Amino acid sequence: MSGFDETLQDEAEAPVRVRFVVNGRKVACEVAPRDTLVDCLRDKLELTGTHAGCEMGACGACLVQLDGRAIHSCLIYAVQADGARIDTIEGLSEGGVLADLQAEFHRRNALQCGFCTPGMLINAQELLSRVAEPGRGEIRDALSGNYCRCTGYEAIVDAIDAVAKARSKGGVAT
Amino acid sequence: MSAPLTSLDRPNSYIGRSVPRPNAKRLLAGRGRYVSDLKLPRMLHAAFLRSPHAHAKIVAIKTDAARAVEGVHLVATGADFARICTPWTGTLDHFKGMTSTPQWPLPLDRVVWAGQAMVAVVAESRAIAEDALELIEVDYEDLPIVVDIDGARKPGGPVINPGSASNVCFRSQLDSGTVDDAFMHAAHVVEEEFTFGRHTAVTLEPRALVADYDPSAGMLTVHHGTQTPYQFQDLYSRHYGIPEARVRVIATDIGGSFGMKLHVYHEDMAVVGLSILLGRPVKYVADRMESFVSDIHARDHRVRARMALDAKGEILAMDVVDLTAIGAFSTYPRTSVVEGNQVIRLIGAPYRLTNYRAALEVIFQNKVQTSQYRAVGHPIACAVTERLVDMAASKIGLDAFAIRELNVIPDDAYPQTSPTGYRFEALSHQACLKRLHEMMDYDGLRAEQADLRKRGIYRGIGIAAFVEITNPSPAFYGVGGARISSQDGAILSLTPSGEVRCLISVTEQGQGTEAIISQIVADQLGVAQDHVRVITGDTEVTPHGGATWACRGAGIGGETALQATRVLKRNILEIAALILQEQPSALDIIDGEVVDVATGKPRLPIAEIARIAYFRSDTLPPGAQAQLTVSHHFAPQGYPFAFTNGIQGCLLEVDVETGLIKLLKHFIVEDCGRIINPMLVDEQLRGGIVQGLGAALFEECRYSDTGQLMNGSLADYLVPMPMEMPDIVIAHVETPTADTVLGAKGVGEAGTAAASACVLNAVNDAFAPFDATINSIPITPAKILKALKRF
Ligand code: FES
Ligand code: FES
């Protein structure tokens, strides 16, 4: 045998009950201690808008809001998020929070395959909640943990720039 | 209104208009339907044990402990698949003498690269499957490892494929004109050896498929993140012996592809086999580490090239040797020699060149396969050609623009045939050069460069002209015996409510296929674009076709849609004419209404024609049968390829202390013929350029000398991120192809084709005050400092 300890595997699989408020709704589900939050959201809660591109915090595809702040859902275990408020792309879309960003991304074609897009939007929202009118350099800097293979990033930067200007002009709450 | 009316002022004129993609809203709302999202009832998950050795004999595989794990349904090795699947060989008939050994889903007796899938485990979850993998024991016997090009070519060295005399997969020669003579009489000769590192596609969504074999129906359904569903329908059918009509491949949303997702991968074939063995749906999604060691890589080339010029700077001849290493097999069904073949045929393409000689040698090694990835061969051909042109310019004392103006094929000199056999219908190098010169403010940049240099700031300006292969005809794979279609098909219906549904074989990966097809249909039929629904990517529903690869979506798929729409329009007007007792030729359709051609007066909504045809056919004259669904196919004829062209420019700054490069701005003037949606074209160009810039500066699959990939994660393998990428300025020249009504050519490879060549030229330009040159891609800080002799 390879020295594999079967009790370890049993423990890794033993389910734990966690509760969150996901997109404004209370949910409870059973997860394995080793399940990451992105796995839990995608597999258990069927919220597949949150994507996994690298599972090591390098690509930004898995960004969600946890208690209002953008976090990498691949870098935390579901059990660590027990009791937290989690907002995913689905909830933020339905709540209209991202509507202006989404409209501007659409208008400028700031996405191609769309796999990076939920993470991009959540990061953009986070940036605009911190900085009212970021410069283009600041936008690029803020997005530097969001990998996109399809676009050249420029339309994404343009879209965020335009929304930043519109929001600060119109005083739209962020 | 003072501006003159253009064709875009007609109602329903969508060709040439920047409209957003209708399907993008779903993706923005997190409602994409990627294969990695898919969950089917009773679905199981596959994981693969991968070889830790680059080359070894498999002596024994012990799987009992893995089979005993709770939740494990199947552990399968190569032999299990060999019983139900026929092997495949990645060769094409027209590449004479090409060899590659047969491949099975999982290896039978040897592993040939580190990371090769060895054993499959199917379990109730991916995690359980991975747990079980840990319990599998394999006894290997090391075999000699062949890693680099020189090692692979060493006479008497280790041979990868038993029974072969050498590690050569393919050799090819081109020779036209009088090359030796030209070099003998040249006033100037420049020569260089270039190396191009391996890089890979790194699509953000890794490869994913769910295979679902239903034994009761004898039916295989595969949800597959691929660009070419019809190709896989054919392959699954033939290799697993299931009638083609009972194999359905569905490719819905795909998280990036770029050529990487059209090759046959061992795991993908295995997953189909696992589903057949179990009679249940089986899902496999590669994780990022698996992607790095099993997705195809590309561009592993070493090219030695020289160019002869006369005293004025006119190019007389080129002589090229390309050595490329492709891994242990040639990929199937497109083969791994296409890239090298395109390198030697595209070198020199923008220029008047009659004396040309090239040798290609394609070599096996113990690494993962290389194969077609965005802009196959173009970046290498372009970098080699454009660097030599720049070297010649500085030797002769000509400016980078001046030497190109002197040598490009003049815009009025078409058609032309290249010495490598490519036939160019009409290109626009002169117009593109001129446009780029203005757009960059080239003279201003040169002045600024000179100023800054005095202050110790080293900027480089690089330009690179390119020719791009698009709209491939059957001359590409068809003649080689591969069942890869160059035709496309469309089925177009007027629905009972007067809307239009278009099922088409070209597929969508985010480049906007569905948008441009709906634009073409709406434009040609005379209806609003949002009344057209386009459906792609399901072999059971959409007609057979080539789908999306090698830049054929707009040029071939678009023409298919255009021709189909014209047939449907004719049919609608024939019924309208019967109802209105009018000649069809006196009628037209505008905004969903049948109108009088002469007066533009509305006569009848097309919805009314549909209602009558579907529900009140009793009111039509005897013998009238409304054909409101048309099926139409189109295959390119005329030129074997629609070549496009363009030129890129790059401005960057080299920090000579750190070796870091800052990209300041990038420029492209591009000619893809008729533009259907300018915004989508520009975004294709930007995305393509950024892929080329990644290759130029960051991306490299680095191997140890034991054949281990050393940077197989997104933390170690550098990809272009927003912060390092410049803004990109775009302009167009439009030279439509006369081979089709639409006139569109492809644009997907243009950005990638010349970006790294531009950067290479710009870095060497920045080096002008130093005694330094660089001839290797990616251009890393270490290579810069080494070239500057500071490291
Ligand atoms: S999946 Fe979390 S950052 Fe990439
Ligand atoms: S749109 Fe494809 S990864 Fe960003």
Side-chain angles (χ1 to χ4, degrees):
Chain A
M1 281 298 294
S2 59
F4 182 83
D5 181 350
E6 291 205 11
T7 58
L8 273 185
Q9 192 208 333
D10 291 346
E11 268 173 42
E13 281 292 295
V16 181
R17 196 169 171 78
V18 289
R19 289 162 195 280
F20 323 106
V21 178
V22 179
N23 297 329
R25 278 201 136 74
K26 284 189 192 165
V27 297
C29 66
E30 308 235 302
V31 297
R34 65 180 171 187
D35 287 345
T36 57
L37 181 58
V38 65
D39 287 339
C40 171
L41 290 171
R42 289 177 51 80
D43 301 343
K44 297 270 161 36
L45 304 178
E46 299 188 344
L47 292 166
T48 53
T50 304
H51 298 146
C54 66
E55 298 176 277
M56 63 184 304
C59 77
C62 66
L63 288 172
V64 297
Q65 288 186 357
L66 187 130
D67 293 331
R69 298 310 303 264
I71 59 127
H72 292 94
S73 60
C74 72
L75 290 184
I76 93 166
Y77 291 108
V79 291
Q80 290 175 285
D82 190 22
R85 177 163 64 84
I86 295 158
D87 294 285
T88 69
I89 183 70
E90 289 89 347
L92 296 169
S93 297
E94 282 153 26
V97 180
L98 303 172
D100 53 352
L101 276 167
Q102 286 163 320
E104 203 58 36
F105 269 57
H106 187 238
R107 205 166 73 75
R108 294 172 186 268
N109 199 48
L111 71 157
Q112 290 185 25
C113 78
F115 204 77
C116 67
T117 310
M120 286 282 181
L121 289 168
I122 286 173
N123 199 354
Q125 176 69 9
E126 173 89 357
L127 169 69
L128 298 186
S129 72
R130 285 189 289 106
V131 190
E133 249 190 81
R136 291 176 69 81
E138 251 175 301
I139 297 173
R140 284 195 181 268
D141 193 25
L143 295 181
S144 60
N146 283 77
Y147 174 51
C148 175
R149 187 50 139 185
C150 307
T151 70
Y153 296 112
E154 192 171 335
I156 297 174
V157 176
D158 292 342
I160 297 172
D161 189 31
V163 170
K165 293 201 169 102
R167 280 190 189 180
S168 57
K169 212 185 285 155
V172 181
T174 54
Chain B
M1 219 177 76
S2 54
L5 289 179
T6 70
S7 65
L8 286 179
D9 295 308
R10 274 190 303 112
N12 316 122
S13 56
Y14 293 101
I15 296 177
R17 201 182 281 286
S18 285
V19 290
R21 287 153 51 207
N23 61 352
K25 284 195 174 157
R26 266 190 317 108
L27 307 178
L28 280 155
R31 288 176 174 263
R33 292 185 304 265
Y34 303 92
V35 176
S36 50
D37 299 336
L38 189 69
K39 210 179 197 178
L40 295 179
R42 299 177 72 242
M43 185 174 86
L44 299 169
H45 299 262
F48 293 90
L49 182 73
R50 293 178 181 280
S51 164
H53 301 279
H55 198 189
K57 218 172 126 196
I58 304 166
V59 179
I61 305 175
K62 292 177 202 134
T63 59
D64 290 351
R67 282 178 214 275
V69 172
E70 187 183 316
V72 167
H73 287 245
L74 180 67
V75 179
T77 63
D80 298 307
F81 295 99
R83 277 193 281 277
I84 56 171
C85 181
T86 56
W88 58 91
T89 307
T91 53
L92 287 171
D93 302 343
H94 64 307
F95 293 135
K96 297 249 170 332
M98 181 181 178
T99 63
S100 182
T101 48
Q103 303 175 54
W104 278 270
L106 297 180
L108 301 180
D109 53 1
R110 283 177 327 126
V111 288
V112 287
W113 85 87
Q116 182 177 9
M118 274 277 303
V119 184
V121 174
V122 186
E124 261 143 47
S125 73
R126 167 81 181 220
I128 297 174
E130 285 185 21
D131 287 341
L133 291 181
E134 309 238 350
L135 302 176
I136 296 172
E137 286 178 69
V138 183
D139 294 340
Y140 295 98
E141 197 177 294
D142 284 341
L143 293 169
I145 299 167
V146 177
V147 177
D148 64 346
I149 289 181
D150 294 324
R153 297 176 82 224
K154 225 188 351 251
V159 174
I160 295 173
N161 294 317
S164 307
S166 74
N167 292 315
V168 175
C169 163
F170 179 64
R171 273 201 194 98
S172 174
Q173 295 272 353
L174 297 171
D175 198 350
S176 69
T178 51
V179 174
D180 289 328
D181 195 54
F183 273 92
M184 215 137 61
H185 295 102
H188 306 281
V189 172
V190 284
E191 176 163 10
E192 184 63 286
E193 184 171 279
F194 301 89
T195 56
F196 298 89
R198 277 183 167 227
H199 53 263
T200 183
V202 202
T203 59
L204 191 50
E205 181 188 39
R207 287 191 283 121
L209 80 164
V210 179
D212 182 6
Y213 182 70
D214 175 354
S216 62
M219 170 91 200
L220 173 71
T221 305
V222 184
H223 303 265
H224 192 162
T226 177
Q227 4 182 162
T228 49
Y230 313 96
Q231 173 197 301
F232 283 101
Q233 177 188 37
D234 172 65
L235 293 173
Y236 295 148
S237 158
R238 284 191 296 120
H239 289 282
Y240 280 107
I242 304 168
E244 190 171 38
R246 289 181 193 276
V247 177
R248 176 182 189 185
V249 178
I250 304 171
T252 48
D253 295 327
I254 319 292
S257 192
F258 317 113
M260 185 274 283
K261 290 179 184 168
L262 50 68
H263 308 287
V264 169
Y265 291 93
H266 300 99
E267 298 89 341
D268 299 0
M269 275 295 214
V271 169
V272 169
L274 292 168
S275 178
I276 293 170
L277 290 169
L278 286 160
R280 285 178 70 158
V282 177
K283 180 173 186 172
Y284 171 68
V285 181
D287 68 24
R288 184 56 59 192
M289 316 256 187
E290 294 184 285
S291 300
F292 274 110
V293 295
S294 64
D295 291 355
I296 55 112
H297 295 174
R299 328 264 202 244
D300 192 349
H301 291 250
R302 192 164 78 209
V303 184
R304 175 157 275 285
R306 48 186 195 132
M307 180 182 275
L309 301 100
D310 69 13
K312 289 200 313 276
E314 281 193 38
I315 302 170
L316 300 174
M318 288 186 77
D319 187 10
V320 176
V321 178
D322 178 14
L323 304 178
T324 174
I326 58 163
F329 303 109
S330 159
T331 48
Y332 182 68
R334 286 162 201 256
T335 84
S336 303
V337 308
V338 172
E339 179 161 278
N341 185 53
Q342 284 186 191
V343 168
I344 62 167
R345 285 173 198 276
L346 277 169
I347 283 179
Y351 301 106
R352 277 182 282 111
L353 186 65
T354 43
N355 303 308
Y356 182 77
R357 182 166 60 207
L360 169 70
E361 193 170 300
V362 181
I363 300 146
F364 293 119
Q365 60 181 163
N366 290 118
K367 293 182 186 171
V368 70
Q369 291 155 293
T370 70
S371 203
Q372 286 82 311
Y373 162 56
R374 194 174 198 168
V376 184
H378 295 63
I380 291 156
C382 184
V384 168
T385 309
E386 293 300 283
R387 178 70 193 123
L388 288 181
V389 168
D390 264 18
M391 287 168 68
S394 61
K395 195 161 187 184
I396 301 165
L398 280 172
D399 174 75
F401 272 92
I403 191 166
R404 288 174 176 83
E405 270 154 25
L406 187 64
N407 282 291
V408 290
I409 304 171
D411 294 359
D412 59 6
Y414 293 96
Q416 280 272 333
T417 302
S418 80
T420 67
Y422 282 153
R423 287 166 55 212
F424 303 139
E425 180 196 4
L427 301 174
S428 57
H429 293 294
Q430 288 175 322
C432 290
L433 264 170
K434 195 159 162 286
R435 193 73 195 276
L436 182 75
H437 194 277
E438 296 157 9
M439 188 165 86
M440 289 175 86
D441 180 19
Y442 184 71
D443 299 331
L445 288 183
R446 283 283 177 215
E448 185 189 43
Q449 178 188 42
D451 263 2
L452 290 171
R453 227 174 241 176
K454 288 184 210 133
R455 295 198 270 129
I457 295 171
Y458 299 97
R459 289 212 169 158
I461 302 161
I463 61 172
F466 64 90
V467 167
E468 180 198 354
I469 302 173
T470 80
N471 293 4
S473 74
F476 212 55
Y477 291 111
V479 297
R483 295 167 66 89
I484 296 168
S485 182
S486 59
Q487 63 82 48
D488 273 297
I491 298 171
L492 205 58
S493 315
L494 186 67
T495 70
S497 353
E499 293 176 356
V500 180
R501 192 170 55 230
C502 176
L503 307 162
I504 193 152
S505 57
V506 279
T507 53
E508 170 78 90
Q509 289 94 48
Q511 72 278 61
T513 301
E514 293 177 2
I516 63 157
I517 297 297
S518 69
Q519 284 177 258
I520 293 166
V521 172
D523 186 289
Q524 294 295 304
L525 193 59
V527 299
Q529 192 195 359
D530 60 4
H531 287 182
V532 180
R533 164 121 164 90
V534 177
I535 297 161
T536 61
D538 182 345
T539 60
E540 191 114 310
V541 176
T542 50
H544 191 94
T548 303
W549 48 273
C551 268
R552 55 190 307 293
I556 302 177
E559 179 72 8
T560 309
L562 180 145
Q563 293 186 4
T565 310
R566 290 189 170 185
V567 179
L568 179 64
K569 182 172 179 179
R570 195 189 62 211
N571 292 1
I572 293 173
L573 290 181
E574 267 168 21
I575 301 296
L578 288 176
I579 297 168
L580 296 170
Q581 310 221 321
E582 200 40 281
Q583 283 306 311
S585 60
L587 301 171
D588 195 5
I589 303 173
I590 292 175
D591 253 340
E593 298 266 350
V594 174
V595 301
D596 270 323
V597 171
T599 62
K601 208 168 89 5
R603 298 290 302 272
L604 198 62
I606 57 169
E608 183 58 12
I609 295 165
R611 187 192 65 83
I612 294 169
Y614 286 115
F615 305 123
R616 292 304 308 272
S617 50
D618 58 311
T619 63
L620 293 178
Q625 294 288 346
Q627 298 298 322
L628 297 184
T629 294
V630 302
S631 161
H632 187 83
H633 289 262
F634 166 74
Q637 285 169 332
Y639 283 86
F641 306 96
F643 287 95
T644 76
N645 69 286
I647 183 158
Q648 297 189 21
C650 165
L651 176 69
L652 53 75
E653 198 167 291
V654 179
D655 183 332
V656 295
E657 303 301 324
T658 62
L660 288 168
I661 290 170
K662 174 130 193 72
L663 299 170
L664 299 172
K665 197 147 221 142
H666 205 90
F667 306 84
I668 181 166
V669 183
E670 189 276 343
D671 183 348
C672 62
R674 174 86 64 246
I675 294 176
I676 297 159
N677 184 323
M679 174 168 72
L680 299 188
V681 164
D682 287 1
E683 290 313 307
Q684 275 290 296
L685 290 172
R686 290 203 168 91
I689 286 170
V690 165
Q691 283 190 19
L693 294 177
L697 296 178
F698 310 121
E699 297 186 42
E700 184 170 24
C701 301
R702 305 176 75 107
Y703 281 85
S704 72
D705 43 15
T706 56
Q708 301 290 331
L709 183 64
M710 296 189 298
N711 59 344
S713 84
L714 263 182
D716 304 307
Y717 178 98
L718 299 182
V719 286
M721 297 301 281
M723 200 51 202
E724 292 90 40
M725 290 299 111
D727 283 344
I728 296 163
V729 190
I730 298 174
H732 301 283
V733 171
E734 273 189 82
T735 312
T737 166
D739 272 355
T740 61
V741 180
L742 186 61
K745 310 176 196 173
V747 71
E749 341 266 355
T752 311
S756 31
C758 256
V759 172
L760 184 68
N761 278 347
V763 170
N764 279 296
D765 181 54
F767 277 178
F770 305 93
D771 174 27
T773 58
I774 203 141
N775 55 0
S776 142
I777 281 172
I779 306 168
T780 60
K783 286 184 195 166
I784 296 259
L785 293 178
K786 202 155 177 203
L788 291 167
K789 304 184 185 62
R790 297 183 182 217
F791 179 60

